Amino acid sequence: MRTLREIIKRHLRIITLIMSVVILFSICAMEIVNEQKRACDNAATAFLQIQQTLERNKEELREITTEYSQTCLYNAEAIAYLIQAEPSVSEDMEELKRIAALMEVDEIHIFDKTGRIVAGTHPEYYDYTFDSGEQMSFFKPMLEDRSLKLVQDVTPNTAEGKMMQYSALWSKDGDFILQVGMEPVRLTKVTEKNKLSYIFSMLRIDPAASYYAVHAESGEIVGSTDLVCVGKNLKDIGLQLEDIRDDGAGFHARVNGVGSYCVFGRIGANYIGRVMPDNVLYQRIPMDMAALAICLLLITGILSHAVMWCMNRYVVEGIHSVNEKLRTIAKGNLEESVDIQSSEEFSKLSSYINEMVDSLLANSKKMSYVLSKTNMYIGVYEYNEQMKSVRFTEHIPRILMLEKEESRQLAADSRLFQEFIRQLRSNPVPGEEGVFKLAVQTERYVKLEEICEHNEILGVVIDVTEETVRRRKIEVERDIDSLTGLYNRRGLDSRLERLFAMAENLGHYAVIMIDADGLKDINDNYGHDKGDIYLRKIADTINAFDPQNSVAARQGGDEFVLLIYGYGSQEELDEAVKVMEFIQRHCIAYLDDELRVKLEFSFGCVCAEGNRDYRELLRQADERMYENKRQRKKQRQ
């Protein structure tokens, strides 16, 4: 099982890792959204700049167009005045070219009253009429109305198709129509500036972005920073006209095979789009995420160490201290107190544990008080292998007849107490389960029971002196032969029943039947009182055979029974039986100070092991005893 420190460290690492990943993903998503928003904002700024530039260029174009028209007309009036004042000039081409250069015009054409060019700076145009082309026909109405002064817009001329602006008017005397032509250099430059591709090339908001102008109806690309795309359809670069929205919201698409973020807006008849490649739009995010990940690792590392230090300092160490105190208390040292003040929670826990220990002590006193009110003195003791001391109730010293100093010594040393109990167990009361006689001058008996669980020993000691003495007296009166002090037939049956109920504890054993020989002769020759002494001598002899591992009884008259048990092997039991044979041959009985007779008896023995029917054993031993008696009688004859 893992420690609390390991569990906290593992879960802290998992939580910080999850939090770091969530933060990284969240910030990455926010960065992506921010970059897209920045792209939309930059697109909006660019669109506004384009719209303002278009409006400014249109205004400039209008102003220059008006200026060109007026200048062109003023120049025509001035030249017409000069020619009318000096008609010979119309015949001199070189003079006309000088006047054109002086007036900053490019062409001078003189029409007759029928509308045919008859003179001018460009003889290649002679004989052209107002019916020579669409551009020329613009001035035909002047033939009907001589008050007209016409200025034509910049138009490709009829002869060469080059862009020119022409103005025409009648001379004051009505003899000719004068037309001047000017190449619109400034006007062309302003017109070029008003083209979307030119405007896109002038944008400096973000050089990495590409701009497209798409006709809203046809989808034709009418302008772009990528001039190769001009004239293509929107589908040719990977976009669909129906995907374009003019609300300023962006979308992802592949433009010219490159993943890009596109933002479009409507300006006039065109959609204006800003296209930014994804690798450029999001190029800062990987580096930012890497830097953020390093920062998060550092922060989580520092935070983890700080949290673990706090946990160790204020939680884990406190728990270890409480555990040590509880381990000491569990070993039986209820005098131990817990006092952990590292936090309010541990302070309360310490208080609750101390209250629990006080309650246990109080319960022990209450139990002693309750037991003292019974007719029996009952004491309880408790210790374990790790405890140095022993806890017992106040009746233990009284029941075990301990002096005050002896009681204090036994309570302070568990090993000394265990030795005391071992000595107590060495003096069991025969026939009494768990009852022992105290080694004191007065007759004192106690019943002792111990429960051992998980190296914890709980003992209960009961003073059974009065009960035992009373029972033994009853047993003596009921089960003991008054003449010999041995068990009578009833006592023998009762004792054998108990022993053979646990025959596995008997080991190797022998049942011996004994019959006193010559009792009638002693009664006849010396009296019955001497006969009684003779029987008591036999009883004393067999009762002393092995008092710890034997049962001796008088069956009645001159018959006796002896059970010897607890031998480890058949050989040991055979040796014991040989002792009985020796006694049979050599024992002497003193009937009084001067009278002694040979102690004679016949016996039959049956050896056995394990669970057997003791009645059958008694019967077999009785048969062997009578066989022995017959053999002895034959020997005496």
Side-chain angles (χ1 to χ4, degrees):
M1 184 177 293
R2 290 176 296 180
T3 63
L4 179 61
R5 184 183 289 108
E6 292 172 340
I7 294 173
I8 293 174
K9 183 182 292 185
R10 180 173 180 270
H11 283 80
L12 186 60
R13 287 175 178 172
I14 293 173
I15 291 171
T16 53
L17 178 61
I18 292 174
M19 288 180 62
S20 299
V21 171
V22 171
I23 290 172
L24 280 174
F25 273 101
S26 299
I27 293 180
C28 183
M30 290 172 60
E31 284 291 312
I32 291 174
V33 172
N34 287 337
E35 290 296 335
Q36 292 175 355
K37 184 176 182 302
R38 188 179 295 113
C40 291
D41 292 342
N42 290 341
T45 301
F47 297 162
L48 179 60
Q49 192 175 20
I50 291 170
Q51 188 172 14
Q52 291 175 346
T53 301
L54 285 172
E55 291 176 354
R56 187 168 56 251
N57 289 349
K58 286 180 180 179
E59 182 63 28
E60 184 181 0
L61 182 60
R62 280 195 300 270
E63 292 176 356
I64 292 176
T65 301
T66 302
E67 180 185 347
Y68 258 69
S69 298
Q70 291 177 353
T71 300
C72 191
L73 188 58
Y74 292 156
N75 289 338
E77 288 178 346
I79 294 172
Y81 177 78
L82 289 175
I83 294 174
Q84 183 177 334
E86 189 66 41
S88 62
V89 172
S90 62
E91 303 294 333
D92 190 347
M93 185 183 302
E94 294 299 326
E95 185 61 21
L96 287 174
K97 288 182 178 181
R98 188 183 67 78
I99 292 172
L102 180 65
M103 298 303 294
E104 296 182 348
V105 298
D106 297 297
E107 298 177 5
I108 298 176
H109 303 293
I110 300 173
F111 291 80
D112 62 15
K113 293 178 180 181
T114 64
R116 182 174 62 86
I117 298 176
V118 294
T121 56
H122 291 69
E124 63 270 24
Y125 295 161
Y126 290 175
D127 294 328
Y128 275 52
T129 68
F130 290 144
D131 294 322
S132 297
E134 184 179 353
Q135 180 263 325
M136 295 290 289
S137 65
F138 174 81
F139 297 97
K140 190 173 183 179
M142 294 180 68
L143 296 176
E144 303 295 332
D145 186 358
R146 295 189 176 189
S147 64
L148 292 177
K149 298 179 180 179
L150 298 179
V151 179
Q152 191 180 31
D153 291 336
V154 177
T155 307
N157 65 7
T158 299
E160 303 176 38
K162 65 180 180 179
M163 300 302 293
M164 295 291 290
Q165 186 172 36
Y166 292 97
S167 64
L169 51 77
W170 283 91
S171 63
K172 291 280 187 183
D173 56 9
D175 287 340
F176 60 89
I177 296 172
L178 182 72
Q179 183 186 61
V180 298
M182 297 175 60
E183 290 186 20
V185 178
R186 288 181 59 203
L187 187 61
T188 301
K189 291 181 179 179
V190 173
T191 303
E192 287 291 330
K193 288 171 59 178
N194 214 31
K195 290 182 179 180
L196 289 170
S197 294
Y198 174 80
I199 294 174
F200 292 160
S201 67
M202 299 302 293
L203 290 177
R204 293 293 183 265
I205 296 175
D206 192 343
S210 299
Y211 289 86
Y212 296 87
V214 182
H215 193 274
E217 299 296 332
S218 65
E220 180 185 356
I221 300 174
V222 297
S224 174
T225 52
D226 188 0
L227 298 178
V228 177
C229 296
V230 176
K232 293 182 178 181
N233 191 277
L234 193 62
K235 295 180 179 180
D236 297 333
I237 65 172
L239 295 175
Q240 298 292 332
L241 190 60
E242 54 268 21
D243 295 335
I244 294 177
R245 296 178 296 176
D246 61 354
D247 57 359
F251 61 92
H252 282 95
R254 294 190 67 82
V255 180
N256 291 321
V258 178
S260 305
Y261 189 73
C262 310
V263 182
F264 278 81
R266 182 76 175 262
I267 299 178
N270 300 319
Y271 285 118
I272 307 300
R274 180 179 184 271
V275 178
M276 177 69 77
D278 289 341
N279 60 343
V280 176
L281 180 64
Y282 304 124
Q283 63 182 350
R284 295 185 303 172
I285 294 179
M287 291 299 296
D288 291 346
M289 291 301 101
L292 178 61
I294 293 173
C295 292
L296 285 175
L297 286 175
L298 291 175
I299 292 172
T300 53
I302 295 171
L303 182 62
S304 298
H305 280 84
V307 171
M308 286 305 302
W309 183 86
C310 291
M311 290 295 297
N312 290 335
R313 174 67 177 83
Y314 296 105
V315 178
V316 177
E317 291 182 3
I319 292 174
H320 283 321
S321 299
V322 171
N323 286 341
E324 286 298 319
K325 294 289 186 179
L326 289 176
R327 188 169 66 87
T328 304
I329 293 172
K331 289 181 178 179
N333 187 6
L334 296 182
E335 302 301 323
E336 186 71 53
S337 63
V338 182
D339 186 21
I340 310 298
Q341 302 295 330
S342 59
S343 66
E344 181 180 354
E345 289 77 10
F346 277 114
S347 177
K348 289 182 179 180
L349 179 61
S350 300
S351 175
Y352 296 151
I353 293 174
N354 291 333
E355 289 178 7
M356 179 186 67
V357 174
D358 292 340
S359 176
L360 290 175
L361 291 172
N363 288 335
S364 178
K365 292 179 181 179
K366 291 175 183 177
M367 184 173 66
S368 297
Y369 174 77
V370 171
L371 293 177
S372 67
K373 298 303 179 180
T374 64
N375 293 330
M376 301 175 65
Y377 286 108
I378 302 175
V380 179
Y381 63 84
E382 183 181 12
Y383 66 93
N384 58 45
E385 295 181 356
Q386 286 77 35
M387 285 175 59
K388 183 178 180 182
S389 60
V390 181
R391 290 187 291 109
F392 48 68
T393 58
E394 59 186 15
H395 283 319
I396 288 291
R398 180 174 181 177
I399 295 171
L400 298 178
M401 304 293 290
L402 300 175
E403 298 293 337
K404 185 175 182 180
E405 179 61 23
E406 186 181 11
S407 176
R408 187 190 65 78
Q409 292 176 356
L410 291 176
D413 192 341
S414 61
R415 288 178 295 181
L416 189 62
F417 186 83
Q418 291 179 59
E419 179 60 25
F420 177 83
I421 295 298
R422 189 189 65 78
Q423 292 179 1
L424 175 62
R425 287 180 178 278
S426 67
N427 193 19
V429 177
E432 298 288 344
E433 184 68 28
V435 178
F436 305 92
K437 187 175 185 303
L438 291 178
V440 293
Q441 294 180 352
T442 59
E443 190 175 13
R444 195 82 173 180
Y445 300 96
V446 296
K447 186 176 181 61
L448 174 63
E449 292 185 6
E450 282 188 347
I451 300 174
C452 181
E453 185 175 354
H454 304 303
N455 296 324
E456 295 280 345
I457 292 94
L458 176 68
V460 179
V461 182
I462 305 174
D463 185 354
V464 293
T465 300
E466 183 177 348
E467 176 186 353
T468 303
V469 170
R470 183 171 61 252
R471 185 170 60 252
R472 288 174 66 84
K473 182 178 180 181
I474 292 173
E475 288 178 352
V476 167
E477 293 174 352
R478 184 190 65 190
D479 298 338
I480 303 300
D481 179 63
S482 58
L483 176 64
T484 62
L486 303 181
Y487 285 112
N488 56 24
R489 182 185 297 274
R490 179 187 179 91
L492 176 65
D493 285 340
S494 176
R495 183 75 176 117
L496 292 182
E497 283 282 356
R498 290 198 297 271
L499 283 174
F500 277 83
M502 296 182 293
E504 64 274 7
N505 298 327
L506 292 176
H508 290 270
Y509 57 89
V511 176
I512 304 173
M513 292 292 294
I514 301 171
D515 183 78
D517 294 335
L519 178 61
K520 185 176 183 305
D521 293 338
I522 292 175
N523 285 333
D524 293 342
N525 296 327
Y526 306 112
H528 285 278
D529 57 332
K530 301 300 182 184
D532 291 342
I533 295 173
Y534 184 76
L535 291 175
R536 283 198 293 271
K537 291 296 183 180
I538 295 176
D540 292 342
T541 300
I542 64 176
N543 196 37
F545 189 80
D546 188 356
Q548 295 297 325
N549 294 297
S550 66
V551 177
R554 182 186 178 196
Q555 282 274 76
D558 56 358
E559 289 186 357
F560 296 87
V561 176
L562 176 64
L563 170 68
I564 55 177
Y565 60 91
Y567 292 90
S569 64
Q570 185 63 42
E571 289 75 12
E572 293 180 4
L573 184 60
D574 292 341
E575 291 297 325
V577 173
K578 289 179 180 179
V579 173
M580 180 62 68
E581 294 174 351
F582 178 82
I583 294 173
Q584 182 189 38
R585 292 193 298 269
H586 302 287
C587 194
I588 300 297
Y590 288 86
L591 302 182
D592 57 26
D593 294 338
E594 296 180 355
L595 179 61
R596 67 175 185 173
V597 297
K598 184 179 180 182
L599 192 63
E600 293 183 306
F601 57 86
S602 303
F603 76 93
C605 177
V606 176
C607 297
E609 179 186 12
N611 193 4
R612 299 281 298 276
D613 184 355
Y614 72 87
R615 295 178 182 83
E616 176 63 21
L617 296 176
L618 287 172
R619 187 189 63 77
Q620 295 177 10
D622 189 58
E623 291 179 353
R624 294 182 183 182
M625 182 269 293
Y626 279 108
E627 178 65 27
N628 182 253
K629 181 181 286 289
R630 286 192 292 270
Q631 292 177 359
R632 286 167 54 82
K633 185 179 291 186
K634 289 180 181 180
Q635 291 174 0
R636 286 197 295 271
Q637 293 175 354

